[in-house]
Amino acid sequence: MTSALLIVFAFVLGAVIGSFLNVVIYRVPARKSVVYPPSSCPSCGHRLGPAELVPIVSWALQRGRCKHCGASVSARYPAVEALTGLLFALAAWLRPEFPELLLIWAFIAILVALSFIDIDTYTVPDGINFGGLFLGLGAAALLAFPQPFSQALDAALICAGVIALIGSYGSLVVRRFRDGKREYPVGLHTLHLAAMVGAWLGPAAGLVAGFLNWALNARTKRVWALPDGLTLGLAALGPVVAYLVPDWPFDGLRGLFIAAGGLALTGGLYWAFQPEPEDDPDEVVVMGFGDVKLAGLLGAWLGVGPFLVGLMVAVVAGAVIGLALRERKVPFVPYLALGGLVAFFFGQDLIDWYLGYLGVGP
């Protein structure tokens, strides 16, 4: 298949996938099947025929209205289809090799779905998020794509740990160093303990400490937790000591982030199968935990360096657009997804350019 033909095919395929993503975006948060019943007009309930389901074209020919009841049909439907088609075409242009391109298309589709669901509901469905994480780790294990498995796993844990700890330290400051909510049997306090031990004794010790605390809570049916100020303070001190003390046997930063990320992702997976705890309106949340799990997904696909590039893009884009729209509560997943795509295609090039600009490149 020639490159031009592949790009056209990718756009058409992406538009079709985008049509399906519209269903996913609406039905998954509502806990409805994405397969049955077939698509219908949201106003009159008329089941749509094949001619009404052609991506982008049907909406344009019907002038954005249902041809049965005349109700307006949101322009976001063709927008999602067009966006997905353009991103698929971009991937085919930049990374035309198979079977890797198929995985990249899946990665794009997952990010598009998560972004629009977060815009609508301020939630990140665990099924889609963990599905993307496991797909990335599986591709790494079987194809060493987009990176070898050991690197993908490390990056997933580190990136999840980075975002989890950003949220934890931010919340601690906003709460004026008071303890946060304690979840049974595993919660942020467990993550903080793991991070503290990992920062001083290495990632394995941190993970063991976190899982032992989790098991103790479950066994005794109560929450055993140290003050957040103590665990997070010692967690921050560990890497400093490791840097200053010659021959310190552990990498404090690596232990800090891997232990925190390991507890974040395993704890998130545990809560994905449990009834959702009631929201506490007084609980301070600086960074949603859906963002933490998405960071793990992006780490598995990007690696640590490109992820940090993507995080910077996300922060800048979120700040600029949030100020422009004068929104106080801005869903962060779309910006993380934007940053993730920029980093996936251009992240290493940006890193190399920046290091060259500093004069420290190869």
Side-chain angles (χ1 to χ4, degrees):
M1 186 180 295
T2 65
S3 59
L5 184 58
L6 175 61
I7 291 172
V8 172
F9 170 77
F11 178 82
V12 174
L13 176 64
V16 172
I17 296 297
S19 180
F20 174 71
L21 292 181
N22 279 319
V23 177
V24 171
I25 291 164
Y26 170 72
R27 296 190 185 184
V28 167
R31 302 183 184 278
K32 296 180 179 180
S33 169
V34 298
V35 178
Y36 184 85
S39 297
S40 59
C41 172
S43 297
C44 67
H46 173 81
R47 183 174 296 181
L48 303 181
E52 298 167 280
L53 292 172
V54 180
I56 306 172
V57 176
S58 293
W59 186 90
L61 292 178
Q62 294 168 200
R63 299 181 180 180
R65 295 187 175 278
C66 172
K67 71 178 185 179
H68 296 275
C69 68
S72 176
V73 178
S74 172
R76 202 177 80 174
Y77 291 110
V80 170
E81 294 163 353
L83 173 64
T84 310
L86 290 171
L87 291 174
F88 272 42
L90 176 66
W93 178 42
L94 296 174
R95 302 283 184 86
E97 300 83 9
F98 285 92
E100 290 84 357
L101 181 57
L102 297 176
L103 293 168
I104 296 172
W105 285 340
F107 176 60
I108 290 171
I110 288 168
L111 292 184
V112 170
L114 290 176
S115 297
F116 282 94
I117 290 174
D118 191 40
I119 289 171
D120 288 344
T121 67
Y122 290 97
T123 61
V124 182
D126 288 316
I128 300 176
N129 199 98
F130 279 110
L133 171 61
F134 294 141
L135 178 63
L137 293 176
L142 297 175
L143 301 174
F145 175 83
Q147 55 189 326
F149 177 75
S150 60
Q151 295 179 22
L153 180 59
D154 266 17
L157 298 178
I158 289 171
C159 296
V162 167
I163 298 301
L165 289 173
I166 288 174
S168 289
Y169 283 109
S171 297
L172 184 67
V173 171
V174 173
R175 291 195 307 265
R176 299 181 180 179
F177 299 94
R178 293 190 296 269
D179 288 340
K181 182 180 179 181
R182 302 322 200 187
E183 296 285 359
Y184 169 85
V186 59
L188 287 175
H189 61 279
T190 319
L191 183 155
H192 300 162
L193 174 66
M196 178 188 72
V197 176
W200 287 87
L201 301 178
L207 291 170
V208 169
F211 291 133
L212 284 177
N213 177 253
W214 184 344
L216 177 64
N217 294 339
R219 182 72 178 84
T220 60
K221 300 187 184 305
R222 58 171 295 187
V223 176
W224 297 86
L226 294 172
D228 290 336
L230 175 64
T231 51
L232 289 174
L234 289 174
L237 184 61
V240 177
V241 173
Y243 176 77
L244 294 176
V245 176
D247 301 322
W248 186 266
F250 303 106
D251 183 339
L253 275 178
R254 185 172 183 274
L256 171 73
F257 291 132
I258 286 184
L263 263 294
L265 293 180
T266 55
L269 189 60
Y270 167 81
W271 283 111
F273 293 95
Q274 303 299 318
E276 294 184 5
E278 294 184 5
D279 291 334
D280 183 353
D282 298 324
E283 180 68 10
V284 175
V285 179
V286 170
M287 186 73 69
F289 216 73
D291 302 326
V292 175
K293 290 176 278 191
L294 178 58
L297 183 160
L298 292 174
W301 284 88
L302 303 177
V304 177
F307 170 79
L308 295 178
V309 172
L311 180 60
M312 183 175 296
V313 172
V315 170
V316 172
V320 171
I321 296 175
L323 288 173
L325 298 179
R326 298 182 180 182
E327 292 286 343
R328 296 185 62 186
K329 186 177 181 182
V330 179
F332 193 50
V333 167
Y335 303 111
L336 268 179
L338 171 64
L341 289 173
V342 170
F344 184 85
F345 291 115
F346 309 110
Q348 193 57 53
D349 293 335
L350 291 172
I351 292 172
D352 293 341
W353 169 83
Y354 184 66
L355 293 178
Y357 176 78
L358 295 178
V360 296

